[in-house]
Amino acid sequence: MVQPGTESVWLWIGTALMALGALAFIGMGWREDDPERQAFFIVTIFIPVIAALSYFSMAMGFGLVELAVPWQEAALDIYWARYADWLFTTPLLLLDLALLAGANRNTIGTLIGLDVGMIVTGFIATIITTSQAMRITWWGISSAFFLVLLYVLVSRLSAQAATQPGDVGDLFGTLRNLTILLWTAYPIVWLIGTEGLALVPLYWETAAFMVLDVTAKVGFGFLLLRSRGTLEASRVETPEAATTTTD
Ligand SMILES: *C/C=C(C)/C=C/C=C(C)/C=C/C1=C(C)CCCC1(C)C
């Protein structure tokens, strides 16, 4: 097993912040007895729980491998545990947005399918060692999934959210924009980091992913779960929106 380098400081900070976020969400949802609002708590609590475990494993050096590559002397240090984390947490984040928008099953399925496609092809980009061009090609395939995903977020999911009462639509808009902004940074960090063109060292790449992960999961969760009244309103309209949206 490879020992993590100085970047492990960011992994420990990430572990602590994800664990604190999970505990805070559990505390906020402890006395929640409304089943529809409970759904948001259940989905949102699992996100930092999974991420905390992934960060802990990476900090311990478990989620880290060294890949020998033909185009440079030094091996690539790859934290593969990230992709196991993202495979579960990114669909859960999308499920939160979809529940808020009152999306129907087809829209939820489309979003999650695109998302899994993005993470799996991104993982292939990360572990393939034939050539750097091949890695960038898979990065491009993953980014194509991502662009279609963004399109569904701003078109169909936003149209469904627009049928929700005012507050719900506003909260959806805020969380959707936060998601678009933060998620767009991931392929950029990958490309300039050690997985891609290695313009940024592993230390700073790890810091960048940690800040993005904490904001996209814990920050996102706080904005969502503190709006209890809004989650309540989302319940009333959800069955309606699901049956009347026929685009
Ligand atoms: C909590 C974790 C989140 C929100 C992770 C999001 C990750 C992405 C949006 C990753 C996207 C990538 C591409 C679009 C291209 C290939 C490399 C990836 C996997 C970093």
Side-chain angles (χ1 to χ4, degrees), residues 40 94-103 157 160-161 164 167-173 175-176 220 224 227 230-231 234-235 238:
F40 284 102
L94 292 173
L95 185 58
D96 263 337
L97 283 176
L99 286 175
L100 197 59
L157 199 64
Q160 291 179 348
Q164 298 277 48
D167 280 359
V168 181
D170 290 345
L171 180 62
F172 172 84
L175 292 174
R176 184 202 66 178
F220 176 101
L224 177 71
S227 320
T230 311
L231 301 186
S234 142
R235 164 182 59 170
T238 300

Side-chain angles (χ1 to χ4, degrees), residues 80-182:
W80 60 265
R82 283 189 196 298
Y83 299 86
D85 163 345
W86 296 349
L87 187 61
F88 296 103
T89 54
T90 52
L92 290 173
L93 287 164
L94 292 173
L95 185 58
D96 263 337
L97 283 176
L99 286 175
L100 197 59
N104 59 35
R105 264 195 268 176
N106 290 351
T107 306
I108 298 177
T110 306
L111 280 170
I112 293 182
L114 289 166
D115 182 75
V116 168
M118 171 184 83
I119 300 297
V120 169
T121 53
F123 180 64
I124 296 174
T126 304
I127 57 163
I128 205 164
T129 56
T130 42
S131 71
Q132 224 175 1
M134 214 20 94
R135 293 174 67 86
I136 305 294
T137 303
W138 282 98
W139 174 90
I141 296 171
S142 174
S143 296
F145 275 106
F146 180 51
L147 289 178
V148 181
L149 172 74
L150 289 184
Y151 175 75
V152 177
L153 275 183
V154 297
S155 60
R156 181 184 291 244
L157 199 64
S158 299
Q160 291 179 348
T163 66
Q164 298 277 48
D167 280 359
V168 181
D170 290 345
L171 180 62
F172 172 84
T174 304
L175 292 174
R176 184 202 66 178
N177 293 344
L178 183 77
T179 299
I180 293 173
L181 199 76
L182 292 170

Side-chain angles (χ1 to χ4, degrees), residues 14 16-25 28 40 44-45 47-49 51 89 93 96-97 100 171-172 174-180 182-183 186 209-227 231:
L17 293 177
M18 292 296 183
L20 285 174
L23 288 175
F25 295 167
M28 289 162 81
F40 284 102
T44 313
I45 288 167
I47 296 166
V49 167
T89 54
L93 287 164
D96 263 337
L97 283 176
L100 197 59
L171 180 62
F172 172 84
T174 304
L175 292 174
R176 184 202 66 178
N177 293 344
L178 183 77
T179 299
I180 293 173
L182 292 170
W183 289 33
Y186 283 83
F209 273 139
M210 188 274 286
V211 171
L212 288 173
D213 281 342
V214 169
T215 319
K217 294 178 169 69
V218 179
F220 176 101
F222 263 113
L223 289 177
L224 177 71
L225 297 179
R226 63 156 200 192
S227 320
L231 301 186

